C-alpha cells in the first residue's frame, strides 16, 4: 500500500496536511500530534513584517462551523525563519509556508527571503477575507490573480500553490487564471465570508463585522469547488473546507484533490490530522487500493 | 502524565447551587495536574456546536481524580452541560492556561477578589495559596445567592458585596474593600471586565501587584489560532506584536502588562 502523493514534484508521505492558520507552525499541536505522521505542515500566514491582526472578538461559533477574523496576526518573516522553520525541521514532514502581504512587493519580499530556506513549497494567500488589503482583491479578480501569480512565480525558488477564495462567482475562471500565471498547484477553499449579529447587544458578533466561515458547515461548497477547479485545470489541488475525518478527506480526493488539509476541526479534535491519515490507510485496505492515484479525481 | 490532552471524563455529580449556576465534579486524569487559575475546555455532545467552552477550574481533588467546575448557564452549550447527570461522559481538553502565581502571596497580605462567575477559581487559589500573612476574600454577587462563600470562609476572611444590597455591602467588590478599610500587598482577581478595570486602577493607586484572570472567545485553547488575544504593554515574546494569547500566555496576567478593552 502506497500512501504517498506527489504535488509539483514534491512527494508527501501521505496527503494529509494542516490548513493554514489553524495549526500555528505546529509547535502547539505537537503536544497532541506526532508531526512525523503528517504529509505536511502548512504554516500560519507570514508577512514581511509583524502584523497585529484585528481587534477582539475574533472568533464566533456558528451552526456546524465557526467564523474567524484574526486578521493574519503574525510575527513577521525574520522571527519565522529564526524560530518556526528550525522547529519544523526536526520532524520528518514537508513544510509549506503560507505567505501573505498587502502588496505584490510584500509577497515578493517574503518569497525571496524564503528562497534559501529549507521549505518545500510556498502557499500564497491571496484569499484572506479578514484584512482589507490581505490579498483578497488579488484572489477575486482573475486579471489580478494572473498578475500576482506571474510576479511571484518569477521570484520563487520553491513551487508555489495559489490559495483560492471561494468568494467568487466562477471558481474555474480563477483556477485557470492561476494556472496561466504559472502556479504549480492550487489550494482551496479559503473561508467563506460571513457575518453573525449579537441580538442581545444589537451589534456585530465579530469586531471586524465580517469573518471567514469554516468547519463542517462549508464542506459541500468546498467539495463542489474542488471538483470544478480540478476539471478546469491540469494543476494538482490541495482540497480543504470542513474536513473532519478520513471519509471527508476521501470525498475531496474523489472530487479531484491530491492533498487534503484539516482546518477548523483541529480545534474540535486536536488529534484530527493524525486520525485522518490513519483513516485513509483503513479505507485503502478496505477497498484494496494500492495507490491513491486510483481515487484522485475518481468521479467525473 | 503532565501535559495537555483531550480525554473523556465522567460526571461524578452535579447540582445547581444558585439560580443558573451549576457545580459539576468530573472524574478525569486531568485532576492531577490542575492548578488554580487554569481552565478546561468542555465539548458539547450536540455537534452543531463545534467549539469547546473554556471553564475555569474551581477545585481539584487529585487523590480521587476529580475536577470541579462551577459555571453559569450562558447559552446553548452551558445549557446542555447543566442537564448532565452522574455518569454522563464528557469530552474535555486540559489543563489549559498558566494559572495564578500563588507563591507571590508568601509573607504578604493578599486580596482574593472574585466577581460573579469569577468566584469559582478563587476557591482553587485559596486552597493552593500557602504562607500568606493574611487572606481577605472579597466576593461580589448580584443578590443573596452567595454560592461558594461558605466554603471560602475556611480559607480566609470573606467580605461580601451584592448589587442589590441583599447581603453584605451594597455595591461591588471595591465598595466592600472601602467599607472594611482593608489593605493588601498583592491582589488576585477574576471577574467581569468592569471589575477588573477597577482592580487594576486600585492596584496602581496603591502601587501593589494585581494578578487578573481574563476571558475571551476562544477556538483552539492551545495557542495556535490566535483568536483570544489581549493587547499588551510590551511586545509579546511569542507574537512579536503587542498581543498575548489569553489561552496560553494567560489567562492570568499582571494587570500592568495588559490593556483591558
Amino acid at each position: 500500500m502506497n500512501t504517498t502523493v506527489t504535488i509539483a514534484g514534491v512527494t508527501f508521505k501521505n496527503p494529509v496536511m494542516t490548513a493554514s492558520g489553524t495549526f500555528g507552525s505546529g509547535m502547539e499541536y505537537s503536544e497532541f500530534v506526532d508531526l512525523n505522521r503528517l504529509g505536511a505542515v502548512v504554516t500560519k500566514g507570514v508577512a514581511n513584517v509583524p502584523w497585529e491582526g484585528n481587534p477582539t472578538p475574533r472568533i464566533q461559533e456558528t451552526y456546524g462551523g465557526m467564523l474567524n477574523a484574526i486578521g493574519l496576526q503574525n510575527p513577521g518573516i525574520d522571527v519565522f525563519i529564526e524560530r518556526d522553520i528550525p522547529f519544523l525541521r526536526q520532524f520528518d514532514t514537508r513544510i509549506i509556508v503560507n505567505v501573505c502581504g498587502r502588496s505584490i512587493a510584500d509577497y515578493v519580499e517574503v518569497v525571496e527571503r524564503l528562497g534559501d530556506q529549507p521549505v518545500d513549497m510556498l502557499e500564497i494567500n491571496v484569499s484572506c477575507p479578514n484584512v482589507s488589503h490581505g490579498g483578497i482583491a488579488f484572489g477575486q479578480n482573475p486579471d489580478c490573480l494572473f498578475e500576482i501569480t506571474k510576479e511571484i512565480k518569477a521570484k520563487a525558488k520553491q513551487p508555489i500553490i495559489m490559495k483560492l477564495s471561494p468568494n467568487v462567482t466562477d471558481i474555474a475562471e480563477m483556477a485557470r487564471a492561476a494556472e496561466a500565471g504559472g502556479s504549480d498547484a492550487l489550494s482551496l477553499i479559503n473561508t467563506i465570508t460571513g457575518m453573525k449579529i449579537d441580538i442581545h447587544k444589537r451589534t456585530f458578533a465579530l469586531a471586524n463585522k465580517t469573518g471567514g466561515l469554516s468547519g463542517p458547515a462549508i464542506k459541500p461548497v468546498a467539495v463542489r469547488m474542488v471538483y470544478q477547479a480540478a476539471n478546469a485545470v491540469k494543476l494538482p489541488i490541495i482540497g480543504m473546507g470542513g474536513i473532519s475525518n478520513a471519509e471527508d478527506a476521501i470525498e475531496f480526493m474523489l472530487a479531484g484533490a491530491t492533498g487534503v488539509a484539516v482546518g477548523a476541526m483541529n480545534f474540535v479534535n486536536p488529534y484530527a490530522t493524525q486520525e485522518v491519515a490513519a483513516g485513509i490507510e483503513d479505507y485503502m485496505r478496505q477497498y484494496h487500493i494500492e495507490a491513491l492515484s486510483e481515487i484522485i479525481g475518481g468521479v467525473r | 502524565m503532565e501535559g495537555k490532552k483531550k480525554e473523556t471524563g465522567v460526571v461524578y455529580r452535579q447540582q445547581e447551587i444558585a439560580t443558573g449556576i451549576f457545580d459539576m465534579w468530573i472524574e478525569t486524569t486531568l485532576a492531577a495536574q490542575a492548578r488554580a487559575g487554569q481552565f478546561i475546555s468542555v465539548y458539547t455532545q450536540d455537534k452543531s456546536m463545534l467549539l469547546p467552552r473554556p471553564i475555569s477550574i474551581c477545585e481539584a481533588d487529585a487523590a480521587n481524580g476529580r475536577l470541579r467546575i462551577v459555571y453559569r448557564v450562558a447559552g446553548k452549550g452551558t445549557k446542555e452541560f447543566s442537564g448532565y447527570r452522574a455518569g454522563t461522559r464528557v469530552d474535555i481538553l486540559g489543563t489549559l492556561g498558566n494559572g495564578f502565581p500563588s507563591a507571590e502571596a508568601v509573607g504578604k497580605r493578599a486580596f482574593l477578589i472574585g466577581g460573579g462567575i469569577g468566584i469559582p477559581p478563587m476557591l482553587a487559589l485559596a486552597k493552593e495559596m500557602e504562607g500568606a500573612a493574611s487572606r481577605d476574600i472579597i466576593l461580589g454577587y448580584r443578590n443573596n445567592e452567595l454560592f461558594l462563600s461558605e466554603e471560602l470562609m475556611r480559607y480566609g476572611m470573606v467580605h461580601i458585596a451584592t448589587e442589590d444590597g441583599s447581603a453584605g455591602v451594597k455595591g461591588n467588590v471595591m465598595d466592600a474593600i472601602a467599607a472594611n478599610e482593608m489593605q493588601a500587598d498583592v491582589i488576585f482577581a477574576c471577574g467581569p471586565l468592569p471589575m477588573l478595570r477597577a482592580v487594576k486602577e486600585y492596584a496602581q493607586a496603591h502601587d501593589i501587584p494585581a494578578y487578573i484572570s481574563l476571558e475571551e472567545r476562544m477556538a483552539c485553547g492551545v495557542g495556535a489560532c490566535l483568536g483570544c488575544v489581549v493587547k499588551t504593554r510590551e511586545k509579546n515574546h511569542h507574537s512579536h506584536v503587542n498581543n498575548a494569547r489569553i489561552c496560553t500566555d494567560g489567562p492570568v496576567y499582571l494587570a500592568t502588562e495588559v490593556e483591558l478593552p
Side-chain angles (χ1 to χ4, degrees):
Chain A
M1 186 170 69
N2 181 358
T3 61
T4 65
V5 292
T6 300
I7 297 172
V10 179
T11 299
F12 298 81
K13 66 171 65 169
N14 65 52
V16 182
M17 307 179 185
T18 60
S20 178
T22 65
F23 210 75
S25 285
M27 208 174 291
E28 292 79 15
Y29 279 107
S30 65
E31 271 193 70
F32 301 91
V33 174
D34 178 2
L35 301 184
N36 298 301
R37 295 291 320 276
L38 306 185
V41 170
V42 183
T43 70
K44 176 152 181 68
V46 60
N48 56 338
V49 293
W51 286 13
E52 293 255 344
N54 289 328
T56 55
R58 294 174 166 187
I59 300 283
Q60 290 292 343
E61 189 176 66
T62 62
Y63 198 95
M66 59 173 283
L67 287 165
N68 89 80
I70 309 298
L72 292 172
Q73 180 186 322
N74 78 88
I77 188 66
D78 291 338
V79 171
F80 184 84
I81 286 175
E82 192 181 311
R83 177 184 69 190
D84 298 49
I85 295 176
F87 171 78
L88 283 170
R89 289 310 296 174
Q90 302 172 83
F91 302 93
D92 178 22
T93 187
R94 296 291 186 185
I95 303 172
I96 300 178
V97 179
N98 184 283
V99 177
C100 56
R102 294 187 171 94
S103 66
I104 291 184
D106 286 357
Y107 285 96
V108 167
E109 186 182 339
V110 178
V111 164
E112 288 187 325
R113 289 290 309 281
L114 289 166
D116 60 357
Q117 290 295 314
V119 303
D120 298 290
M121 296 184 88
L122 308 178
E123 181 181 58
I124 312 300
N125 184 359
V126 287
S127 44
C128 178
N130 298 325
V131 289
S132 44
H133 301 284
I136 190 78
F138 298 116
Q140 284 181 331
N141 176 310
D143 297 333
C144 293
L145 180 60
F146 169 81
E147 201 55 40
I148 192 171
T149 305
K150 203 175 68 168
E151 298 267 351
I152 290 170
K153 180 61 189 170
K155 300 284 170 27
K157 295 282 191 292
Q158 294 91 350
I160 65 167
I161 306 160
M162 298 308 286
K163 185 167 186 178
L164 302 186
S165 170
N167 304 307
V168 296
T169 309
D170 183 359
I171 194 73
E173 184 186 22
M174 303 306 292
R176 282 191 290 264
E179 183 176 51
S183 191
D184 299 289
L186 301 176
S187 59
L188 66 159
I189 60 174
N190 206 319
T191 55
I192 301 174
T193 308
M195 181 182 281
K196 181 175 179 174
I197 291 166
D198 183 328
I199 63 161
H200 303 291
K201 294 179 184 158
R202 299 188 192 179
T203 185
F204 304 99
L206 290 168
N208 189 52
K209 297 185 184 175
T210 60
L213 180 64
S214 61
I218 71 167
K219 198 190 78 179
V221 177
V223 171
R224 182 264 295 179
M225 288 194 163
V226 165
Y227 174 79
Q228 289 176 329
N231 284 285
V233 296
K234 294 198 167 61
L235 300 179
I237 289 172
I238 299 164
M240 68 199 73
I243 294 179
S244 304
N245 50 39
E247 288 80 357
D248 294 342
I250 301 288
E251 204 178 330
F252 275 83
M253 296 185 86
L254 286 167
T258 303
V260 287
V262 177
M265 290 308 286
N266 288 307
F267 309 151
V268 182
N269 173 12
Y271 311 103
T273 44
Q274 205 173 295
E275 289 175 10
V276 170
I280 289 173
E281 290 179 23
D282 292 342
Y283 180 85
M284 292 176 78
R285 270 189 288 272
Q286 184 186 349
Y287 290 98
H288 309 290
I289 295 163
E290 287 300 320
L292 289 169
S293 54
E294 294 171 40
I295 61 165
I296 294 166
V299 295
R300 282 292 149 187
Chain B
M1 198 181 79
E2 283 279 320
K4 293 168 194 160
K5 58 188 167 231
K6 184 183 174 188
E7 67 170 38
T8 304
V10 177
V11 176
Y12 178 68
R13 66 164 187 260
Q14 168 153 254
Q15 56 178 336
E16 188 172 9
I17 56 173
T19 306
I21 307 284
F22 287 79
D23 177 356
M24 184 195 288
W25 280 95
I26 302 168
E27 292 179 321
T28 165
T29 66
L30 298 177
Q33 67 189 52
R35 296 194 313 275
Q38 287 193 302
F39 62 98
I40 57 172
S41 277
V42 185
Y43 292 82
T44 58
Q45 291 172 354
D46 177 345
K47 294 302 170 202
S48 73
M49 291 181 275
L50 284 192
L51 301 175
R53 273 56 180 162
I55 299 177
S56 63
I57 291 164
C58 173
E59 199 179 348
D61 176 355
N64 291 303
R66 291 176 200 142
L67 266 188
R68 183 186 188 188
I69 54 174
V70 170
Y71 61 95
R72 187 192 303 278
V73 172
K76 245 176 92 181
T78 41
K79 175 80 187 155
E80 181 192 299
F81 301 152
S82 71
Y84 292 177
R85 301 277 172 263
T88 304
R89 293 160 70 83
V90 54
D91 285 344
I92 54 181
L93 175 68
T95 50
L96 306 176
N98 59 354
F100 283 108
S102 54
E104 293 297 322
V106 173
K108 294 179 185 156
R109 296 170 297 171
F111 280 175
L112 287 73
I113 305 178
I117 208 59
I119 292 169
M122 291 302 138
L123 182 57
L125 177 63
K127 284 182 70 178
E128 190 178 292
M129 188 182 281
E130 284 174 1
S134 67
R135 295 197 277 200
D136 283 300
I137 302 171
I138 305 118
L139 308 175
Y141 294 93
R142 288 178 181 168
N143 52 40
N144 62 1
E145 291 190 281
L146 308 176
F147 59 92
L148 299 177
S149 62
E150 279 187 29
E151 288 178 68
L152 278 158
M153 284 174 195
R154 282 184 243 150
Y155 302 99
M157 180 66 76
V158 169
H159 312 272
I160 287 168
T162 55
E163 285 173 20
D164 67 0
S166 57
V169 173
K170 181 170 170 33
N172 59 35
V173 292
M174 304 317 293
D175 296 321
I177 290 169
N180 292 290
E181 294 178 5
M182 292 180 276
Q183 288 188 324
D185 308 307
V186 60
I187 296 176
F188 302 89
C190 184
L193 210 45
M195 183 196 101
L196 295 180
R197 282 196 209 102
V199 167
K200 180 177 177 173
E201 208 170 288
Y202 176 91
Q204 276 172 328
H206 291 77
D207 198 24
I208 55 175
Y211 295 94
I212 58 176
S213 181
L214 305 182
E215 62 178 352
E216 183 52 80
R217 292 277 172 181
M218 288 181 188
C220 73
V222 300
C225 75
L226 311 184
C228 63
V229 297
V230 60
K231 286 275 161 215
T232 53
R233 196 185 54 180
E234 306 288 338
K235 280 209 180 354
N236 174 262
H237 67 95
H238 177 268
S239 71
H240 291 260
V241 293
N242 293 60
N243 281 335
R245 301 164 297 178
I246 290 176
C247 66
T248 34
D249 302 320
V252 178
Y253 295 90
L254 193 57
T256 49
E257 290 175 354
V258 290
E259 288 176 29
L260 298 178

